[in-house]
Amino acid sequence: MDKFVIHGGSRLCGRLTVKGSKNAALPIMAAALLTDQPVVLKDVAQLADISNMQGLLRSLGCSADVVPPKTSGLDAALDPPGQVMRLHVEDESLSHAVYDIVRTMRASICVLGPMLARRGIARVSMPGGCAIGDRPVDLHLRGLGALGAEITLDGGDILARVPRGGGAGGGRLKGARIFLGGPFGSTVLGTANVMSAATLAEGQTIIESAACEPEIVDLARMLNSMGARITGAGSPRIVIEGVESLSGTTHRVMPDRIEAGTYMCAAAITNGDITLDNCPLDAMLAVVDRLEAVGVLVTEIHDKGGVTDPLRTSARITCSRNLKPVEVTTQPHPGFPTDVQAQLMALLCLADGNSVVTERIYPERFLHVAELARMGARILRQGPTAVISGTRRLVGAPVMASDLRASACLVLAGLAAEGTTTVNRVYHLDRGYEKMETRLRTLGAEIERVRDRQVAPTPAEAIS
Ligand code: EPZ
């Protein structure tokens, strides 16, 4: 298991291109199961979770290959764009997403809806819980059941089938009105599953209390380019008019707003000055709001041409020396994203006063608190709320990564800490951040990856 060794104290300065969104790409890749035509995706980040999804799709009869980059011409010269991936279903008889694959990545659940709708049958291992919570899928099953699927649990697997379904000419799912709200708001991948399945259902589907995340909008945009008829994506009510079949498409994955938020916090915690290109500022207003309340300056840089895509703009991040304490509560989009909670907490450890962080999506998502305390942070956790009493400095120490975003939090703390921080088990990071240490080094960080001879983690440790 690799670890990062970080010598803190360097200001991050320079320019970085935000990569394609992991949380958009995963359900978008799964949606390739809705057609027997080729699907080409651009700006796919090089991540462990993306590789896991490639392996899962291959096990379901769908080729998933990275298209080699152009070696000459302008494309080769520019800041390397994300990977181009070509997906093509060649065998629809393999419809079992097995436990050994699903347990390494919970997002595997998003193949359920597409496979059920297209093939009439799907068997997907129940995803386990993970470090941030027990991660139920009851809302997914409620939604697919409402579309007419017969769903049973069989030996740890979800077995879903369309009555009189299966293959060409078989039964189809039936459009329905579905309420998809749960005790913690809506469900992102549940919305992706139900919306994807409804594209091939007979008649109209209305999803009430749908997730409003930008990644859902990106998925809907891609599905509509395949011939789906979806309106309302990004709002709590999505309407889908079912169609008989979908074609292939080419789609560029939206930039990763969580990665962008992470690097904004990295710039702030090191009192740095970085510019992010391909930045989805329009999807990050809650993050920018909290960072500006802390004293971070986020300045949008407009192209000379003046016309910019608000989801692919440039932003310069600088920070005042005196960080102010804030209150932040994580909410479903457009609220403050739970996936940036840990990274902001690292920054708040150095604020001048007491901050309050409340986690409304995953009340247990505080595994980073104990590790930050090892570095001198003063944090009191009471249930879903943590009070951070800012301190003048953090001190480097060996710390343990537990999940993807907690790992990022510890790296940020190490960048600002005095002395050396060792972040163990960085395989968590590799799931959601492309070449993080290399990219931080280009910004001036003193960070290196050290191969650790310890045995690789058990899949249960890797889940999130
Ligand atoms: C997505 O997970 C993201 N993952 C998560 O990012 C993110 O934290 C989460 O949405 C919330 O924004 C991907 O997109 C691959 P949910 P998802 O279903 O869809 C409860 C990261 O760090 N719930 O929206 O699995 C659930 O317990 C990852 O990149 C039910 O009760 O999350 C949670 O409290 C971590 N029943 C809340 O809803 C269900 O059937 C939100 O979960 C489903 C969810």
Side-chain angles (χ1 to χ4, degrees):
M1 283 185 276
D2 295 357
K3 56 187 173 185
F4 281 172
V5 178
I6 305 164
H7 302 292
S10 307
R11 290 183 66 232
L12 297 190
C13 297
R15 202 154 188 141
L16 211 57
T17 299
V18 178
K19 299 293 183 180
S21 165
K22 165 180 85 78
N23 291 351
L26 293 172
I28 280 174
M29 289 171 72
L33 297 172
L34 287 164
T35 178
D36 59 3
Q37 302 300 307
V39 169
V40 175
L41 301 178
K42 296 183 174 179
D43 267 9
V44 180
Q46 296 180 51
L47 302 170
D49 274 10
I50 298 291
S51 302
N52 282 333
M53 182 58 80
Q54 281 178 269
L56 175 59
L57 291 175
R58 288 180 186 130
S59 75
L60 299 173
C62 176
S63 64
D65 302 309
V66 172
V67 177
K70 291 191 182 74
T71 48
S72 60
L74 187 58
D75 277 4
L78 291 177
D79 178 5
Q83 299 180 113
V84 177
M85 190 174 288
R86 187 177 185 277
L87 310 170
H88 191 189
V89 171
E90 290 152 348
D91 177 355
E92 296 190 309
S93 64
L94 307 162
S95 299
H96 183 187
V98 296
Y99 178 58
D100 280 351
I101 299 179
V102 174
R103 67 179 174 170
T104 62
M105 182 181 66
R106 165 187 166 69
S108 307
I109 190 70
C110 60
V111 302
L112 179 61
M115 201 156 46
L116 172 67
R118 167 81 189 176
R119 303 179 185 184
I121 188 168
R123 178 185 281 266
V124 178
S125 170
M126 279 284 275
C130 69
I132 64 175
D134 60 11
R135 312 298 295 274
V137 292
D138 57 305
L139 298 175
H140 298 240
L141 305 185
R142 179 204 294 176
L144 296 174
L147 293 175
E150 288 170 355
I151 294 171
T152 52
L153 295 187
D154 174 28
D157 288 345
I158 299 162
L159 179 56
R161 57 174 79 238
V162 178
R164 304 185 314 286
R172 282 172 70 185
L173 293 171
K174 301 280 184 290
R177 288 170 174 267
I178 303 165
F179 177 73
L180 215 48
F184 300 94
S186 187
T187 161
V188 177
L189 289 183
T191 299
N193 252 332
V194 175
M195 182 172 73
S196 298
T199 60
L200 293 179
E202 207 170 314
Q204 182 185 72
T205 296
I206 295 176
I207 304 175
E208 189 65 88
S209 192
C212 303
E213 271 66 10
E215 293 76 21
I216 294 296
V217 178
D218 203 34
L219 173 61
R221 195 176 291 127
M222 181 253 199
L223 290 170
N224 282 342
S225 73
M226 295 166 72
R229 296 169 56 201
I230 301 169
T231 53
S235 81
R237 173 173 281 217
I238 300 178
V239 181
I240 306 106
E241 302 296 343
V243 295
E244 294 271 336
S245 65
L246 294 176
S247 66
T249 191
T250 296
H251 178 80
R252 186 181 179 196
V253 176
M254 71 169 283
D256 193 320
R257 63 191 170 102
I258 308 303
E259 181 189 67
T262 303
Y263 284 109
M264 287 181 179
C265 291
I269 205 169
T270 60
N271 192 31
D273 181 346
I274 71 168
T275 296
L276 296 176
D277 295 317
N278 196 40
C279 183
L281 264 191
D282 196 48
M284 302 177 66
L285 300 190
V287 170
V288 171
D289 168 75
R290 289 298 81 195
L291 287 176
E292 289 181 338
V294 171
V296 180
L297 199 56
V298 181
T299 310
E300 185 171 1
I301 302 171
H302 293 283
D303 280 352
K304 293 185 181 49
V307 180
T308 48
D309 173 350
L311 278 183
R312 298 181 190 281
T313 185
S314 292
R316 182 179 176 191
I317 293 86
T318 54
C319 191
S320 67
R321 278 206 170 278
N322 301 319
L323 300 175
K324 295 187 277 296
V326 296
E327 183 281 332
V328 61
T329 299
T330 66
Q331 304 277 5
H333 193 77
F336 189 91
T338 174
D339 294 347
V340 184
Q341 179 257 105
Q343 301 91 307
L344 182 67
M345 186 182 286
L347 182 60
L348 296 177
C349 291
L350 295 174
D352 184 13
N354 295 334
S355 298
V356 181
V357 173
T358 303
E359 177 56 67
R360 288 275 181 248
I361 309 297
Y362 298 112
E364 296 305 312
R365 196 174 199 171
F366 287 116
L367 288 173
H368 43 288
V369 167
E371 299 304 306
L372 287 171
R374 287 176 48 76
M375 300 175 71
R378 295 180 308 193
I379 306 171
L380 172 68
R381 189 208 155 174
Q382 292 280 345
T385 296
V387 177
I388 300 100
S389 301
T391 178
R392 301 296 300 163
R393 65 195 188 106
L394 293 172
V395 180
V399 289
M400 185 69 74
S402 55
D403 68 86
L404 170 53
R405 307 306 175 180
S407 317
C409 157
L410 297 176
V411 171
L412 301 191
L415 292 173
E418 290 176 3
T420 302
T421 298
T422 304
V423 181
N424 294 293
R425 298 188 176 180
V426 291
Y427 60 81
H428 289 293
L429 267 175
D430 295 333
R431 304 189 48 210
Y433 293 95
E434 184 176 324
K435 302 190 182 80
M436 185 181 226
E437 77 276 16
T438 308
R439 300 171 79 205
L440 285 172
R441 261 204 307 276
T442 63
L443 297 176
E446 282 192 66
I447 179 173
E448 61 172 330
R449 179 187 291 260
V450 174
R451 296 267 171 231
D452 208 334
R453 285 181 296 283
Q454 276 184 35
V455 174
T458 59
E461 287 173 304
I463 199 162
S464 137

